[in-house]
Amino acid sequence: MTDTREPAAIPAEPAETSGGTTRLGWALLLISVAQLMVVLDATIANIALPFIQSDLDISQANLQWVVTGYALAFGGLLLLGGRLGDLYGRRRVFMIGVAIFAVASGVGGLAANEGMLLASRGLQGLGAALASPAALALITTNFPAGPQRNRAFSIYAAMSGAGAAVGLLLGGWLTGLTPDLFGTTVDGWRLTFLINVPIGLAAAFAAPRVLAESESHAGELDVPGALSGTAGLVAIVFGLSRAGEPSHGWDDAQTLVSLVLGVALLAAFVVIERRVAHPLLPFRILLSRTRATAFVTMMIVPAAMFAMFYFLSQFVQNVMGYSPLHTGVAFLPFSLGIVIAATVSSKLMDKVDPRWIAGIGTAMAGLALLGFSRLSVDDSARNIIATVMGGETHLGTDVSYWADIFPFISLMSLGMGATFVPMTLAAVHGVSHRDSGIGSGVLNTMQQVGGALGLAALSTVAVHFSTERAGQITGALQAATPAGAEPTEQMRAAFANIAYQGAFTEGATNAFLTGAFMIWGASVIVWIFLGVKHEELATDDAPAGVHAG
């Protein structure tokens, strides 16, 4: 009978006595910068999409692949990236990942056509999938358990959580620039890619100087498992992303085929992993209730957070009338709040059980989404007609940022910071050093797949309510139009634009409300199942309930 017990974790090597603190500081800076670069790239191009579309003549149907192409490669290859680090050394895989990411970013910044840009986005996803799990695992192998590792994880979690907001701010700023480089005017959207080149190459160059290499472990790369698992995740993420698009939906043939194929491939992956000698995903890392709770929670929480960014950024721009840069600045409190909350949570982890910190954090995040669900605009036929006749192009100009947006975006950031630190620590606690790369890969995979699942599900909710509200607004406008007073083509376009804003608001607020209940569900899971004590997280011992083997 196969022994499924988890081996005892190998204690991390102590920091060097001479200059050890300085080396660890540089190591953490390098890992954090690389993680920030990887995470913010998921959103940095969002604001630049209209400029990319115009410059490279990309159709509306294909434009979404600038974003989803990266997410597909990133989410689908994370397990493979984590296992490669375990087998061949995490510092080596980290260096290769950030180097690939830098080169791919350069290709994207110099892209002359749609195919070149989309290929570069896929290659960026590959680099991120190699670098991200290795970066998280390198914290485990470079920082001893206790306060040092808690602080390191708090900074890592802050970079992961703030990356999306920083991406919106940086993307808005860079997109507005048109600098002259070597006598050539560079379009601002290209800078959103080119900025990664020096950062990524510098990180690859510095890695062997500040990071301790992990041990390489005997074993073969599970190619069948890698192919079935990666293809299954890609199919699932593709199907979920396509399901969230209004032009396709859940009943689209390609959506259904992708989801069914993804489930079948993942079922094959499970069968393969149970039979091979050196599996891509050793199921022993899933035996701990603490880690299982962390994985499930970190699948649900980012789902709600990513949806918040998606809907709120559109509301602020399309309904309130903010510019791209103004939109980025509007999200700045999120970055600041999550850093503050992560720092405080790190200090509390030495004294308070993670159940209390993460439980309160998820409850706060749910309240923030509930606050966003109360956003409203006057989309009555009378007000829409008055808005168009008055020359206004946005329906939500009277929505107050300080009263309606700022309090809840701040509350959301504090909740996320309080959740990410204890959940990240719980997810990697007690994983043996030979499995820390794949353990980190599972955590990152949960976040990416959870984000895609949440966005797809909440987009479906939003489309349903938006479509229903759009029909009501159209009927009210027709009833309010005097007989024989046929509007001009220009007036029709103006009415359609304002009506869309009202319908979008209806859909977005219902998506926020659904997201609130999702994240409260995660809170219930945390309160019931996260029983690990803060004293346990201060050691590298296996979690309670998992015997050393």
Side-chain angles (χ1 to χ4, degrees):
M1 188 172 180
T2 303
D3 184 5
T4 58
R5 296 178 300 169
E6 182 171 351
I10 302 172
E13 295 183 5
E16 302 169 15
T17 56
S18 177
T21 301
T22 301
R23 185 188 68 79
L24 288 179
W26 284 109
L28 181 57
L29 176 63
L30 175 62
I31 292 171
S32 299
V33 168
Q35 178 65 10
L36 179 65
M37 179 182 69
V38 166
V39 173
L40 68 81
D41 214 73
T43 58
I44 193 172
N46 279 338
I47 293 179
L49 287 177
F51 302 91
I52 295 173
Q53 181 180 25
S54 175
D55 212 29
L56 298 184
D57 193 26
I58 302 178
S59 68
Q60 187 62 40
N62 290 340
L63 186 63
Q64 56 98 14
W65 285 106
V66 177
V67 176
T68 56
Y70 178 77
L72 281 171
F74 190 7
L77 296 170
L78 274 166
L79 287 180
L80 177 61
R83 199 57 184 163
L84 286 171
D86 288 338
L87 293 177
Y88 304 114
R90 295 178 196 109
R91 187 180 69 185
R92 179 181 296 112
V93 172
F94 174 81
M95 291 169 59
I96 293 172
V98 293
I100 290 174
F101 192 91
V103 172
S105 297
V107 173
L110 300 174
N113 53 57
E114 174 184 338
M116 188 174 176
L117 178 65
L118 296 183
S120 75
R121 290 294 277 170
L123 195 59
Q124 277 185 310
L126 169 61
L130 295 176
S132 192
L136 183 57
L138 282 167
I139 292 180
T140 305
T141 55
N142 279 264
F143 292 83
Q148 278 188 309
R149 187 179 295 175
N150 290 353
R151 285 194 295 271
F153 273 128
S154 75
I155 295 174
Y156 177 90
M159 293 299 101
S160 300
V166 173
L168 291 173
L169 177 62
L170 192 60
W173 176 61
L174 292 175
T175 300
L177 300 178
T178 52
D180 286 327
L181 298 178
F182 308 108
T184 303
T185 300
V186 179
D187 294 317
W189 70 264
R190 295 183 182 276
L191 297 177
T192 63
F193 296 98
L194 294 175
I195 193 174
N196 294 322
V197 177
I199 298 174
L201 294 180
F205 176 78
R209 291 158 178 80
V210 299
L211 295 176
E213 178 61 287
S214 63
E215 295 180 2
S216 298
H217 299 284
E220 300 176 356
L221 185 62
D222 174 20
V223 176
L227 292 176
S228 60
T230 300
L233 286 173
V234 168
I236 290 288
V237 175
F238 173 79
L240 293 174
S241 299
R242 190 176 177 88
E245 298 171 21
S247 57
H248 299 112
W250 291 97
D251 57 351
D252 175 73
Q254 288 191 41
T255 298
L256 295 175
V257 169
S258 295
L259 293 174
V260 171
L261 179 62
V263 171
L265 287 170
L266 290 181
F269 170 76
V270 172
V271 173
I272 292 170
E273 297 307 280
R274 295 180 66 89
R275 294 182 178 181
V276 297
H278 302 286
L280 179 68
L281 174 59
F283 287 117
R284 58 181 173 267
I285 73 168
L286 303 177
L287 297 180
S288 162
R289 188 177 78 171
T290 295
R291 282 199 294 276
T293 301
F295 289 149
V296 172
T297 303
M298 290 301 281
M299 185 175 184
I300 299 173
V301 170
M305 188 184 75
F306 292 170
M308 185 270 295
F309 279 114
Y310 178 78
F311 291 110
L312 191 60
S313 62
Q314 290 189 68
F315 179 84
V316 169
Q317 288 189 88
N318 296 336
V319 182
M320 295 176 65
Y322 281 24
S323 68
L325 180 57
H326 196 180
T327 300
V329 172
F331 280 94
L332 190 57
F334 186 91
S335 303
L336 299 176
I338 203 167
V339 170
I340 293 171
T343 303
V344 173
S345 298
S346 170
K347 296 182 182 301
L348 289 175
M349 286 298 297
D350 297 331
K351 303 174 182 178
V352 181
D353 291 343
R355 167 189 289 165
W356 291 94
I357 302 173
I360 292 173
T362 47
M364 290 168 61
L367 287 174
L369 289 174
L370 180 63
F372 287 132
S373 74
R374 298 175 65 83
L375 288 170
S376 65
V377 294
D378 184 358
D379 58 3
S380 64
R382 179 179 180 181
N383 188 58
I384 290 176
I385 292 172
T387 300
V388 172
M389 294 304 181
E392 285 284 350
T393 56
H394 296 93
L395 194 58
T397 53
D398 59 344
V399 175
S400 170
Y401 171 79
W402 294 108
D404 301 320
I405 305 293
F406 176 77
F408 304 113
I409 205 170
S410 300
L411 185 62
M412 186 76 173
S413 68
L414 295 175
M416 291 295 95
T419 302
F420 284 164
V421 173
M423 286 295 96
T424 302
L425 281 167
V428 299
H429 171 59
V431 178
S432 64
H433 279 212
R434 65 170 173 157
D435 290 332
S436 60
I438 192 60
S440 305
V442 173
L443 177 62
N444 281 282
T445 299
M446 289 295 180
Q447 292 175 316
Q448 293 299 316
V449 174
L453 172 63
L455 191 55
L458 295 181
S459 291
T460 301
V461 171
V463 168
H464 169 76
F465 283 97
S466 291
T467 302
E468 182 178 317
R469 185 59 185 159
Q472 295 171 352
I473 293 173
T474 300
L477 284 173
Q478 290 174 346
T481 302
E486 189 68 22
T488 64
E489 199 66 36
Q490 185 177 3
M491 293 291 288
R492 278 202 199 93
F495 280 126
N497 176 51
I498 298 298
Y500 162 79
Q501 295 175 28
F504 173 82
T505 301
E506 179 73 14
T509 51
N510 279 279
F512 287 137
L513 183 60
T514 305
F517 284 102
M518 285 174 55
I519 210 163
W520 281 332
S523 189
V524 170
I525 292 172
V526 168
W527 287 110
I528 294 176
F529 297 106
L530 190 64
V532 66
K533 303 299 183 182
H534 67 276
E535 294 91 350
E536 297 176 60
L537 293 184
T539 71
D540 276 319
D541 296 333
V546 177
H547 302 286

